[in-house]
Amino acid sequence: MSLRMFRRTPSVRGGSAIDGRTTRHDGYQLSQRKRKRIEEVFGWVKTIGMLRKTRHRGLEAVAWLFTFTATAYNLVRMRNLIFPAVQSA
């Protein structure tokens, strides 16, 4: 079974593995923009939120740390949306 049979687009980066039948659609471009935003969140969580290698053990502690880190990310994002950075000359 192929993904085309289910009308789904594979998520392959770089473009070399995907032909023009997939990349020519607007949905593919939209999917790539959404994917970039999601990857930015996980990148922030791993680097700034220090979740690349957790310091806690146990599901409850790690779940709490993830929730705390996601909340911090949302607060930073809200600040950036409300007060956009001023470009200096």
Side-chain angles (χ1 to χ4, degrees):
M1 288 191 201
S2 71
L3 290 174
R4 291 192 193 284
M5 192 161 118
F6 296 108
R7 295 185 178 186
R8 297 291 178 245
T9 304
S11 296
V12 179
R13 303 289 319 245
S16 62
I18 299 179
D19 59 9
R21 293 178 297 172
T22 300
T23 58
R24 71 177 176 221
H25 299 290
D26 294 334
Y28 180 78
Q29 300 302 323
L30 177 66
S31 171
Q32 293 303 301
R33 285 194 299 270
K34 299 280 186 185
R35 181 186 180 102
K36 182 178 186 315
R37 258 182 88 191
I38 292 168
E39 292 296 331
E40 285 175 358
V41 174
F42 282 107
W44 191 93
V45 165
K46 285 180 176 181
T47 56
I48 310 299
M50 296 184 293
L51 279 180
R52 183 176 305 275
K53 186 175 180 182
T54 61
R55 296 170 298 193
H56 303 288
R57 294 180 62 156
L59 185 60
E60 188 175 326
V62 174
W64 180 88
L65 183 61
F66 180 81
T67 302
F68 182 77
T69 304
T71 303
Y73 177 80
N74 284 332
L75 289 172
V76 169
R77 187 163 183 268
M78 284 171 47
R79 181 203 61 194
N80 292 340
L81 289 172
I82 293 170
F83 306 107
V86 178
Q87 298 290 331
S88 60

